[in-house]
Amino acid sequence: MGQLQEKFKNYRVPQQYMKAGVYPYFREITSKQGTEVEMGGHKVLMFGSNAYTGLTGDERVIEAAKKALDKYGSGCAGSRFLNGTLDLHVQLEKELAEFEHKDEALCLSTGFSVNSGVLATVVGKGDYIICDDRDHASIVDGRRLSFARQLHYKHNDMEDLERVLKTLPYEAVKLIVVDGVFSMEGDLAKLPDIVNLKKKYNCSIMVDEAHGLGVFGKQGRGVCDYFGVTDDIDLIMGTFSKSLASIGGFIAGDWDTINYLRHTCRTYIFSASNTPSATAAALEALHIIQNEPERIKSLWDVTKYALQRFREEGFEIGDTKSPIIPLYVRDIEKTFLVTKLAFDAGVFINPVIPPACAPHDTLVRFALMATHTKEQVERGVQALKKVFVEQGIIK
């Protein structure tokens, strides 16, 4: 047996949950993503998706991807830096920059590679990077790759953020990096307060709009637009894998910073460029959310209904202000069991356990799409209420 095999031979935690019949991961879907999906030969309500705009099965998005596949082929066979730039990539970047009211945008193959690559590039030795305790794993990995000094503050605690900033040199490069919408809890970053601290302590700000794009702000521009602070945010990051019904990500900012990233960001210049079909799908989805404001209105109508119903039924849902609704369980074993029992009742939800949350904050994540109906939400609420009551989580 080799060294690696010896090292990992006793890792059997997943198998223990499989044996108990509550293993919740890698469940196979055999249909398009939508409000209902086929799994194991039957349909279940999908409340575990990040497709907030409900566009993953939209025929216009699918047709745009097909046309790009026919015109450009299945892939680009290289990085954007060399042979992998299509006019389609350039068009999407131009439109994203205009959408986010920034000079330039740069598209990468995944949202994870945006955060991990950009943060490792824009701050370095002698600089400082300051993160919220609950920032996404891609931000955590990006800051680890940077040679900047890494600091953090308690979740959404502006006094703690100011405490950190007070200790730093005024002239040093200081980048505050924060999720606009926190992906597990559904609450929003306090961007107006962070902007005030930026100005007071001479900082820069990068906002991850992965879960804000297509949900908040005018035409779904995100939380920065929602709070009216876009001009004060230096870098805006977003993904295509949620509201834009595809795969990939982007960073938008001023001309000089994007010019530097275009020529030095390792996850950009050393990764194969995004596929033609994925790029075209994201571009078409971007057009749709700008031209169909009723889609975002539908998302918020069903979100408000769901928030009201969960509160009425006694669920603990924290401080969420988004289509992401955390249903707190506060027990790892019960979180897995609840996920399994909900699935048996025809409701797909996602378990959230460490390291995605603190051990005492385990939850199941109920997420909404613009295409969900109130009737579907009610079915979900009733099924989950039965499970939560039976397990003694709520009365």
Side-chain angles (χ1 to χ4, degrees):
M1 182 177 289
Q3 289 178 323
L4 290 180
Q5 292 79 8
E6 184 68 29
K7 181 178 180 179
F8 300 121
K9 69 177 183 180
N10 293 321
Y11 177 66
R12 294 294 181 268
V13 175
Q15 285 67 37
Q16 292 171 12
Y17 286 110
M18 290 176 190
K19 187 176 181 180
V22 294
Y23 184 72
Y25 304 118
F26 305 104
R27 293 174 282 179
E28 296 180 18
I29 297 172
T30 56
S31 65
K32 290 179 185 177
Q33 286 277 350
T35 59
E36 295 189 43
V37 297
E38 291 183 9
M39 301 182 73
H42 65 281
K43 286 189 175 182
V44 295
L45 288 168
M46 172 52 75
F47 291 110
S49 172
N50 295 320
Y52 305 115
T53 54
L55 288 171
T56 49
D58 190 282
E59 290 301 323
R60 295 165 293 180
V61 175
I62 294 169
E63 185 59 29
K66 287 179 179 178
K67 287 181 178 178
L69 189 65
D70 288 338
K71 180 177 180 178
Y72 298 100
S74 59
C76 297
S79 72
R80 289 287 305 278
F81 201 60
L82 298 175
N83 65 300
T85 291
L86 304 176
D87 54 353
L88 202 58
H89 294 126
V90 176
Q91 182 185 353
L92 178 56
E93 288 173 339
K94 180 177 182 295
E95 294 194 24
L96 283 168
E98 292 173 354
F99 183 67
E100 293 294 353
H101 294 157
K102 294 298 180 185
D103 297 343
E104 297 276 349
L106 202 65
C107 291
L108 285 81
S109 299
T110 66
F112 200 106
S113 64
V114 176
N115 281 337
S116 60
V118 168
L119 293 177
T121 305
V122 298
V123 286
K125 191 173 182 180
D127 301 334
Y128 299 84
I129 184 169
I130 307 103
C131 298
D132 187 291
D133 271 345
R134 295 186 187 173
D135 278 348
H136 190 264
S138 57
I139 294 175
V140 174
D141 281 7
R143 81 182 191 207
R144 287 172 176 170
L145 288 169
S146 168
F147 289 104
R149 183 180 171 191
Q150 301 173 32
L151 302 164
H152 60 88
Y153 60 95
K154 297 174 185 176
H155 176 56
N156 257 345
D157 188 330
M158 296 298 99
E159 288 185 5
D160 197 43
L161 174 55
E162 184 163 21
R163 176 192 62 79
V164 172
L165 295 177
K166 281 180 178 178
T167 67
L168 306 181
Y170 185 81
E171 295 301 329
V173 172
K174 301 175 289 296
L175 180 64
I176 302 169
V177 187
V178 66
D179 287 9
V181 180
F182 291 92
S183 57
M184 297 297 110
E185 298 85 4
D187 54 338
L188 310 185
K190 297 177 179 178
L191 291 185
D193 295 331
I194 295 174
V195 166
N196 289 337
L197 290 172
K198 162 192 171 166
K199 294 175 179 178
K200 184 175 180 180
Y201 292 100
N202 189 33
C203 304
S204 299
I205 303 173
M206 175 174 160
V207 175
D208 181 329
E209 287 278 21
H211 297 269
L213 184 70
V215 179
F216 288 90
K218 185 179 180 182
Q219 296 180 309
R221 285 185 170 87
V223 178
C224 298
D225 183 85
Y226 172 76
F227 282 120
V229 296
T230 297
D231 290 345
D232 292 306
I233 305 301
D234 301 273
L235 292 170
I236 294 176
M237 173 272 182
T239 59
F240 306 151
S241 55
K242 298 169 178 64
S243 288
L244 296 186
S246 184
I247 184 70
F250 72 91
I251 188 75
D254 64 279
W255 189 92
D256 289 315
T257 303
I258 300 302
N259 177 53
Y260 181 75
L261 286 168
R262 183 175 282 116
H263 296 90
T264 58
C265 179
R266 294 170 70 85
T267 57
Y268 176 75
I269 63 177
F270 293 110
S271 286
S273 57
N274 214 349
T275 64
S277 55
T279 306
L283 184 61
E284 181 63 22
L286 182 64
H287 294 162
I288 292 171
I289 66 172
Q290 291 179 87
N291 293 322
E292 296 183 359
E294 66 273 14
R295 184 171 293 271
I296 297 176
K297 182 182 182 301
S298 294
L299 173 62
W300 279 105
D301 285 346
V302 76
T303 294
K304 290 172 183 176
Y305 178 77
L307 289 169
Q308 175 187 336
R309 290 294 296 118
F310 278 121
R311 289 191 177 109
E312 288 173 347
E313 297 295 351
F315 287 84
E316 182 188 357
I317 64 172
D319 192 35
T320 181
K321 295 180 176 64
S322 72
I324 300 166
I325 304 178
L327 307 176
Y328 284 94
V329 179
R330 302 194 182 282
D331 179 285
I332 292 175
E333 306 298 326
K334 279 190 178 181
T335 299
F336 283 159
L337 181 58
V338 164
T339 304
K340 192 250 185 209
L341 293 174
F343 182 79
D344 291 346
V347 177
F348 186 109
I349 49 176
N350 289 314
V352 180
I353 64 166
C357 67
H360 57 276
D361 286 335
T362 67
L363 57 96
V364 290
R365 183 179 183 275
F366 187 97
L368 293 152
M369 295 180 255
T371 43
H372 276 122
T373 66
K374 290 181 180 179
E375 184 272 335
Q376 288 176 321
V377 170
E378 188 61 35
R379 283 161 55 196
V381 170
Q382 291 302 324
L384 288 166
K385 180 185 176 182
K386 183 174 185 295
V387 171
F388 272 59
V389 168
E390 288 175 350
Q391 295 306 311
I393 303 166
I394 63 173
K395 294 181 180 179

